[in-house]
Amino acid sequence: MTAVLTGPQRATRRRRTLLVLGVLTLAVVAAYLTVDVTGSWGYALQQRGRRLAAMAVVAVAVAVSTVLFQTVTNNRILTPEIMGFDRLFVLIQTVGVFVLGAATVTTTDPRLRFAVEVVVLIGFGAVLYRSLFGRTERDVYVLVLLGVVLGSTFTSLTLLVSRLIDPNEFLTLQDLLFASFTSVDRQMLALSAVLVALVTLGVWRLLPRLDVVALGRDTAVGLGVEHRRVVDRALLAVAVLVAVATALVGPITFLGLLVANLARQLLGTHRHAWVLPGAALLAVLALAGGQLVLEQLFGFNSSLSVMVNFVGGIVFIALLIREPRQ
């Protein structure tokens, strides 16, 4: 017979779970910074530290945005990528190489490229979310349908343009389309960290109302929460976080799905005050651990995004199989 835990006991268990995740994350971070260092320690720590900082920024952005998106859509198997952010990013890169040439794109000031990509992605997400949500009770179904349509459209346009690109330039384009933490510009990283920190701080103030929104529109309105206003703020935060993470290192499709659901499973709650830090720690653990495995075992012969998407895809299939039974 399973013992029923009281409220304080559940809180203690969740704190211990977060503590264990924190210790594991620190251990992986320490291993990533120190394992197999050759030559100058100062140079090695500087380079690895910058990559690790990029991982932390992307991890927090992806984790927070996915948890928020699943809250407002009330669906555990949806992620912001359903709206086609990653495929729009690929289209932007492809059109840029086709119009300007690979040499021009790769030699352009990375801060300018970053700014253009962030503005386009944020504008796309903000307009789409604002125009869809709050109109009818079937917003989620319309959102998913439109996301599939837009994703297919972006993919088709990308394939069309890529066929017109010179084969040599296409090889350069392929390098731009995989998530990479090895060549992140310091100034872009600092700007991204500030944006993610500000948005996360703003989201933290919404946590009590987001817990109520997770109960459904009718329940939230009945409890006095301004559902449309909270959802609009959450979706704007999602658009900014996804745009920053994607523009900084490229698309990582299934990372958010993986860490958001695993955090809820480990912590045994849907309260955002617990799930958000848990998902962020798991995301850092996944990226730092995956990069460590990639460097030490595979010798950079694969891409981190490929590894994360492979594991995340398996989790996604498992969630689809289990969903009708819940």
Side-chain angles (χ1 to χ4, degrees):
M1 185 174 180
T2 305
V4 178
L5 298 178
T6 63
Q9 288 175 328
R10 287 194 294 267
T12 300
R13 177 181 174 275
R14 290 164 189 158
R15 278 192 289 268
R16 289 175 179 172
T17 302
L18 287 180
L19 180 61
V20 171
L21 288 177
V23 171
L24 287 175
T25 302
L26 289 177
V28 171
V29 166
Y32 178 76
L33 290 175
T34 58
V35 168
D36 198 27
V37 173
T38 57
S40 171
W41 273 84
Y43 177 78
L45 291 177
Q46 180 182 17
Q47 294 300 314
R48 295 189 182 190
R50 182 173 62 181
R51 292 197 290 267
L52 187 61
M55 293 177 203
V57 171
V58 171
V60 173
V62 171
V64 173
S65 62
T66 302
V67 172
L68 291 180
F69 192 78
Q70 291 181 348
T71 295
V72 298
T73 58
N74 197 24
N75 193 305
R76 290 178 53 200
I77 64 174
L78 293 183
T79 67
E81 284 74 18
I82 192 67
M83 295 311 304
F85 277 100
D86 53 343
R87 281 158 286 188
L88 178 58
F89 174 82
V90 171
L91 179 60
I92 293 171
Q93 302 297 324
T94 305
V95 171
V97 170
F98 175 70
V99 174
L100 303 176
T104 302
V105 172
T106 54
T107 56
T108 300
D109 188 339
R111 290 169 293 182
L112 177 60
R113 285 174 48 199
F114 177 76
V116 171
E117 291 162 1
V118 168
V119 169
V120 172
L121 292 173
I122 290 178
F124 167 73
V127 170
L128 203 57
Y129 293 155
R130 179 70 183 181
S131 62
L132 283 180
F133 266 85
R135 301 183 311 168
T136 69
E137 295 180 357
R138 304 179 65 85
D139 288 338
V140 174
Y141 304 105
V142 176
L143 185 69
V144 173
L145 178 61
L146 187 58
V148 173
V149 172
L150 288 176
S152 299
T153 302
F154 294 152
T155 300
S156 299
L157 290 174
T158 300
L159 290 175
L160 174 62
V161 176
S162 62
R163 290 179 181 275
L164 304 176
I165 296 177
D166 181 88
N168 294 322
E169 294 191 335
F170 184 76
L171 294 176
T172 302
L173 173 64
Q174 290 297 102
D175 292 335
L176 297 173
L177 299 183
F178 287 101
S180 174
F181 296 92
T182 58
S183 57
V184 177
D185 184 84
R186 292 180 181 177
Q187 293 181 331
M188 290 193 307
L189 177 57
L191 176 59
S192 299
V194 171
L195 288 174
V196 171
L198 290 175
V199 173
T200 304
L201 181 61
V203 167
W204 199 260
R205 300 175 60 183
L206 291 175
L207 294 192
R209 282 172 283 179
L210 286 170
D211 289 337
V212 179
V213 168
L215 300 175
R217 183 200 306 245
D218 294 338
T219 303
V221 172
L223 293 174
V225 172
E226 297 178 89
H227 184 271
R228 176 61 187 267
R229 186 175 181 182
V230 174
V231 166
D232 283 347
R233 290 183 179 181
L235 290 176
L236 180 59
V238 168
V240 175
L241 292 173
V242 173
V244 169
T246 305
L248 184 63
V249 299
I252 306 180
T253 305
F254 285 111
L255 177 63
L257 178 75
L258 179 65
V259 299
N261 285 284
L262 188 55
R264 293 191 185 96
Q265 189 73 24
L266 291 176
L267 294 167
T269 182
H270 290 268
R271 291 190 59 189
H272 294 78
W274 296 103
V275 174
L276 286 180
L281 287 173
L282 285 168
V284 175
L285 185 62
L287 291 181
Q291 188 71 23
L292 181 63
V293 171
L294 178 66
E295 294 180 7
Q296 301 301 320
L297 297 184
F298 295 97
F300 290 102
N301 289 325
S302 183
S303 169
L304 178 59
S305 60
V306 173
M307 297 175 61
V308 172
N309 290 340
F310 174 74
V311 177
I314 295 175
V315 174
F316 179 71
I317 294 173
L319 289 171
L320 284 177
I321 295 174
R322 291 180 55 192
E323 191 70 18
R325 301 177 185 176
Q326 295 178 347

